[in-house]
Amino acid sequence: MNTNFQQYAYIPLKQFSNRVWRTYEGGALIDKWKKAAPEVDGSMPEEWIMSTVTARGNGRPENEGLSMVETPSGTFSLKELVSSNKELYLGKALADKFGTTGVLIKMLDSKERLTIQVHPDKAYAKTMLNSTFGKTESWYVLNKREINGEKSVIYMGFKEGVTREQWEILFKNQDIEGMLNCLHKIEVHPGDAYMIYGGVPHAIGSGCFLMEVQEPTDYTMRVEKVTPAGLKISDELIHQGVGEQNMLDCFHYDGCSYEEALRRWKVTPHAVDSSETHTLNSIFNETHTDCFGLSELELSTNAEHTLKANGSFFVAVIYYGEGTIICGGKEYSFSQGDEIFFSAAIEEVNFKSNIETKILLCYPPT
Ligand SMILES: O=P(O)(O)OC[C@H]1O[C@@H](O)[C@@H](O)[C@@H](O)[C@@H]1O
């Protein structure tokens, strides 16, 4: 046990920028949010936040995806800090149950449509990939942009009647239009929230800027062998090493109507606490999943709100605004683009805003 690392469990820990390579292009809206010039689309369209997992990509750096945080004595990976004392950083329940943060948080900005894909549910992850975690995920839409005159959409869930046999034929023929036609196409707007459970087919369309809170793995099974921009995908990234037939088994063939799709997966955020100067909205909570949670704290100018410890760590992502954090009797500043880890050891955190502020609060599994 490294006693030196334990002292950092009592202070807010900010992470350095952590962009990750993906098969699709995007990222300009992440630059805009981070106030980083120039705002460019490229092959690093995701920012991974408080990540203790590495990304899967061909020929990419070994530690890509791992978050590095700033401490008074230098830069360390969150993973090594947490390992120094899991109970202190994560909280006892999480330390005992998983021994890891149990969650992965991302900002994702798509300039092009992502490939049609599916992620494992827990049962599939266990049997096929020997992993405790699947990749159930959630999307909270923050912004959108029109690309080539196209509205921002997502595709999700099979339409009624789609069978594995039909899906396999479309996959073998690489009939992309045919596959897209099997899924519900849903226009999205800032504020929309969706759960994407393991097994549910989906594709994020172009022009979506969203926060994703998810189980901490990078397992994507996909049915498109070439991306919309023309990038050829390796077999490993198509089926994660389990083969095409097993990849096809990762999908849940339980199609439904458009209305039923919205009922199953669209989430309506609601206020759980408010005053004249603040609102706390619950977005994803235990009624949707036990894998993670997401809330949102809105503060008007010169407002404040205190969050009390709940036995586990949480992560605050400053979507906009600036102000001061009071934690352990000390003051720290925060501003737009900050990503801050608050260990389970911290008893309470007071956020004070100088200007209008929106803070996304991400929580680990319950
Ligand atoms: O298609 P690639 O480049 O692998 O990107 C895959 C991305 O897909 C999205 O639907 C999410 O699951 C992200 O967490 C993931 O990173």
Side-chain angles (χ1 to χ4, degrees):
M1 209 180 274
N2 187 329
T3 39
N4 201 24
F5 279 170
Q6 294 179 31
Q7 60 188 307
Y8 306 131
Y10 299 94
I11 59 172
L13 296 168
K14 286 188 192 170
Q15 92 160 46
F16 291 92
S17 174
N18 187 29
R19 297 287 284 272
V20 171
W21 179 88
R22 297 281 89 175
T23 64
Y24 66 96
E25 298 232 316
L29 293 188
I30 300 180
D31 294 334
K32 187 176 180 186
W33 164 61
K34 286 274 193 183
K35 298 190 175 169
E39 293 166 12
V40 279
D41 288 309
S43 57
M44 311 286 276
E46 296 184 4
E47 163 84 356
W48 286 22
I49 301 172
M50 300 309 166
S51 163
T52 56
V53 299
T54 50
R56 294 170 72 84
N58 290 328
R60 299 295 307 163
E62 206 186 329
N63 284 335
E64 182 162 20
L66 288 184
S67 292
M68 303 300 291
V69 298
E70 195 183 345
T71 75
S73 59
T75 304
F76 300 102
S77 71
L78 179 67
K79 196 174 176 182
E80 61 187 319
L81 291 187
V82 166
S83 304
S84 73
N85 190 328
K86 291 182 178 170
E87 198 172 317
L88 206 57
Y89 278 93
L90 305 174
K92 184 161 174 25
L94 207 53
D96 289 351
K97 191 165 177 195
F98 296 121
T100 77
T101 61
V103 68
L104 178 57
I105 304 153
K106 299 177 176 181
M107 288 295 203
L108 182 162
D109 175 44
S110 58
K111 185 197 162 202
E112 60 171 310
R113 178 180 61 72
L114 277 69
T115 51
I116 301 164
Q117 53 190 245
V118 70
H119 305 299
D121 60 18
K122 278 193 192 291
Y124 185 99
K126 188 88 230 137
T127 22
M128 301 304 302
L129 302 158
N130 194 26
S131 167
T132 311
F133 297 105
K135 188 165 147 31
T136 280
E137 60 191 36
S138 62
W139 300 334
Y140 183 43
V141 182
L142 296 167
N143 202 352
K144 60 176 184 168
R145 51 180 165 151
E146 260 192 30
I147 296 196
N148 300 329
E150 282 191 32
K151 294 205 182 315
S152 305
V153 299
I154 54 173
Y155 296 84
M156 70 187 298
F158 284 127
K159 290 179 182 168
E160 270 163 317
V162 176
T163 62
R164 190 189 184 288
E165 292 66 37
Q166 204 180 336
W167 192 240
E168 181 171 357
I169 293 168
L170 292 167
F171 166 63
K172 290 258 145 73
N173 296 336
Q174 281 299 287
D175 181 349
I176 310 297
E177 273 315 301
M179 287 193 276
L180 284 173
N181 280 333
C182 287
L183 307 181
H184 295 293
K185 182 176 181 180
I186 306 170
E187 195 179 335
V188 291
H189 305 279
D192 286 353
Y194 286 89
M195 280 299 305
I196 302 84
Y197 296 101
V200 176
H202 59 271
I204 297 172
S206 58
C208 296
F209 178 46
L210 45 94
M211 171 173 263
E212 188 176 83
V213 189
Q214 53 155 104
E215 289 188 89
T217 72
D218 198 20
Y219 293 128
T220 296
M221 314 293 197
R222 70 189 94 220
V223 285
E224 286 180 67
K225 298 193 170 183
V226 178
T227 68
L231 181 79
K232 196 176 170 312
I233 309 277
S234 68
D235 283 353
E236 178 71 20
L237 290 186
I238 295 281
H239 56 62
Q240 304 291 328
V242 302
E244 291 184 352
Q245 286 304 319
N246 286 326
M247 176 276 282
L248 291 167
D249 286 340
C250 189
F251 290 87
H252 292 176
Y253 299 92
D254 59 352
C256 64
S257 68
Y258 182 86
E259 292 68 31
E260 175 61 17
L262 294 184
R263 262 196 299 276
R264 284 186 190 172
W265 302 308
K266 191 165 197 270
V267 167
T268 309
H270 65 280
V272 287
D273 181 26
S274 65
S275 70
E276 295 247 304
T277 55
H278 88 281
T279 308
L280 185 65
N281 293 312
S282 172
I283 299 157
F284 302 109
N285 55 47
E286 60 288 348
T287 65
H288 312 112
T289 179
D290 58 6
C291 295
F292 47 77
L294 176 66
S295 303
E296 171 189 73
L297 176 64
E298 294 174 311
L299 297 172
S300 47
T301 304
N302 293 328
E304 65 177 290
H305 186 69
T306 299
L307 297 172
K308 299 235 186 271
N310 69 354
S312 64
F313 77 90
F314 72 95
V315 176
V317 177
I318 314 300
Y319 185 50
Y320 56 75
E322 60 175 48
T324 308
I325 295 165
I326 300 169
C327 174
K330 294 207 175 103
E331 284 197 10
Y332 306 84
S333 64
F334 73 79
S335 60
Q336 180 171 325
D338 282 350
E339 300 142 328
I340 315 166
F341 185 93
F342 293 94
S343 302
I346 293 174
E347 273 163 22
E348 64 173 46
V349 181
N350 177 255
F351 289 97
K352 278 192 162 78
S353 59
N354 301 337
I355 57 177
E356 207 177 308
T357 292
K358 187 191 277 235
I359 304 173
L360 297 155
L361 301 165
C362 313
Y363 295 95
T366 48

